[in-house]
């Protein structure tokens, strides 16, 4: 019996480390015998690459409505040509940004209306929701310090803009605690992935293995983060299933339960001590 498709999205402000954690989650699923596709919005398709260039590096006078419609157009094509076919084939799809990004950036920070942007996005995707969303949360000033190259049009927005983005992300997490799991993005990559791995083991630890006949199947090497004009998609070969752990971990249960009990908006009221991360991400 073939496995069902799994759709996991990664959200958070600039510099949250999404790209690093996506590659680690990709490896986690591959070790358990799954075929994984890594993608992003915008930029997961050839059309998306062009839209990404227009939105992030286009003219400064792009108005909020145009920006929102460009993202919606990319998302409609992305879902129809890449995400839905992969899920129908039983693959795991890991996406760097999805509808929640539009709700936070265009709906809230651009003041276009969260409900309006949600309706547009659901129409564009024919109501395709993720199985699970990891929200990597950190203060905007921390993300800005992690930047290593010139900021794009979105990153040049004010601190107040990025604070509104963060506030909306946390509000969404409060509203959907079963789907959106908030992860403290301030720590080191290992610390962040430890939290993510606990959730993965709790949610998927006993049900993700696909048995393969060829025990010599070899996985493709991990693809580095690419910010050039190429679609960020990765198809990975299946590997033998004997390495998959079956039991839930104590840390996994605690991570999920604490995410449900804790008010996400409360994070804004009392920030934990900050320290720089060794790995950066501006996606």
């Amino acid at each position: 019996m073939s496995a069902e498709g799994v759709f996991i999205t990664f959200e958070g402000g600039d510099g949250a480390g999404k790209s690093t954690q996506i590659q680690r989650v990709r490896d986690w699923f591959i070790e358990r015998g799954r075929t994984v596709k890594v993608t992003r919005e915008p930029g997961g398709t050839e059309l998306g690459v062009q839209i990404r260039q227009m939105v992030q590096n286009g003219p400064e006078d792009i108005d909020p409505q145009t920006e929102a419609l460009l993202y919606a157009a990319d998302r409609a094509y992305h879902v129809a040509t890449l995400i839905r076919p992969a899920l129908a084939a039983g693959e795991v799809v890991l996406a760097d940004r999805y509808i929640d990004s539009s709700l936070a950036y265009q709906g809230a920070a651009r003041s276009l209306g969260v409900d309006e942007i949600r309706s547009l996005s659901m129409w564009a995707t024919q109501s395709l929701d993720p199985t699970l969303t990891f929200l990597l949360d950190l203060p905007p000033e921390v993300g800005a310090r992690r930047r290593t190259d010139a900021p794009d049009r979105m990153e040049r927005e004010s601190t107040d803009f990025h604070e509104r983005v963060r506030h909306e992300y946390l509000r969404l997490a409060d509203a959907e605690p079963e789907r959106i799991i908030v992860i403290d993005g301030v720590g080191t990559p290992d610390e962040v992935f430890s939290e993510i791995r606990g959730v993965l083991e709790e949610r998927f630890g006993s049900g993700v293995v696909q048995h393969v006949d060829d025990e010599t199947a070899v996985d493709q090497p991990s693809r580095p983060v690419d910010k050039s004009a190429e679609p960020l998609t990765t198809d990975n070969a299946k590997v033998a299933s004997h390495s998959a752990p079956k039991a839930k971990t104590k840390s996994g249960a605690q991570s999920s339960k604490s995410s449900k009990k804790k008010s996400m908006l409360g994070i804004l009221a009392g920030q934990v001590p900050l320290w720089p991360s060794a790995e950066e991400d501006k996606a």
Side-chain angles (χ1 to χ4, degrees), residues 130-134 172-182 199 202-204 256-257 259-261:
T131 310
L132 176 67
T133 297
F134 288 109
L172 293 170
D174 264 348
E176 296 187 69
E178 289 295 325
R179 175 177 69 86
I180 304 177
I181 305 300
V182 178
V199 177
E202 182 178 4
R203 298 284 184 98
F204 306 108
S256 179
K257 290 178 181 177
S259 297
K260 296 172 187 175
K261 292 179 180 179

Side-chain angles (χ1 to χ4, degrees), residues 6-274:
V6 176
F7 183 22
I8 300 178
T9 59
F10 293 74
E11 298 286 355
D14 298 312
K18 297 186 302 300
S19 298
T20 296
Q21 298 306 322
I22 286 171
Q23 290 302 321
R24 294 191 176 198
V25 172
R26 165 193 175 274
D27 294 343
W28 188 90
F29 275 106
I30 288 174
E31 289 170 0
R32 285 149 182 81
R34 295 303 296 264
T35 300
V36 181
K37 190 178 297 295
V38 173
T39 189
R40 69 182 176 185
E41 287 194 355
T45 63
E46 292 294 340
L47 177 61
V49 169
Q50 299 176 50
I51 293 176
R52 186 182 186 90
Q53 177 66 23
M54 287 188 289
V55 173
Q56 295 190 347
N57 301 293
E60 294 293 335
D61 63 352
I62 294 179
D63 61 277
Q65 286 84 356
T66 299
E67 181 180 279
L69 290 169
L70 285 171
Y71 281 126
D74 168 73
R75 185 164 296 131
Y77 186 75
H78 189 209
V79 167
T81 63
L82 190 151
I83 296 177
R84 282 193 184 275
L87 295 175
E91 299 180 11
V92 175
V93 177
L94 306 178
D96 186 340
R97 299 197 182 281
Y98 190 56
I99 293 175
D100 294 313
S101 279
S102 289
L103 301 181
Y105 281 85
Q106 284 75 51
R110 295 288 194 215
S111 301
L112 293 181
V114 172
D115 291 340
E116 287 79 1
I117 296 299
R118 188 191 303 276
S119 296
L120 175 64
S121 297
M122 297 305 282
W123 176 79
T125 63
Q126 298 183 51
S127 302
L128 179 64
D129 284 325
T131 310
L132 176 67
T133 297
F134 288 109
L135 170 56
L136 276 60
D137 174 67
L138 82 169
E141 60 270 20
V142 178
R145 288 203 299 267
R146 292 178 177 181
R147 187 180 301 131
T148 59
D149 51 9
D152 60 33
R153 191 178 67 88
M154 198 72 74
E155 292 168 337
R156 289 194 295 271
E157 291 290 346
S158 67
T159 300
D160 180 65
F161 175 90
H162 291 290
E163 286 288 358
R164 293 198 301 272
V165 168
R166 184 189 185 200
H167 189 277
E168 179 61 22
Y169 269 137
L170 294 174
R171 190 193 69 79
L172 293 170
D174 264 348
E176 296 187 69
E178 289 295 325
R179 175 177 69 86
I180 304 177
I181 305 300
V182 178
I183 303 294
D184 183 2
V186 175
T188 66
D190 286 344
E191 290 167 337
V192 172
F193 182 64
S194 177
E195 289 191 57
I196 292 175
R197 183 177 58 231
V199 177
L200 294 175
E201 290 171 348
E202 182 178 4
R203 298 284 184 98
F204 306 108
S206 61
V208 300
V209 177
Q210 282 183 326
H211 294 284
V212 293
D213 296 328
D214 182 6
E215 294 187 356
T216 64
V218 179
D219 171 39
Q220 296 178 3
S222 176
R223 178 175 175 173
V225 176
D226 182 9
K227 296 179 181 177
S228 64
E230 293 185 11
L232 186 61
T233 57
T234 305
D235 289 301
N236 310 297
K238 298 175 183 177
V239 296
S241 62
H242 56 76
S243 62
K246 301 287 185 176
K248 298 179 182 177
T249 64
K250 181 178 179 181
S251 62
Q254 291 175 338
S255 175
S256 179
K257 290 178 181 177
S258 63
S259 297
K260 296 172 187 175
K261 292 179 180 179
K262 186 177 182 181
S263 171
M264 296 307 116
L265 292 176
I267 295 175
L268 296 173
Q271 180 61 49
V272 296
L274 309 179

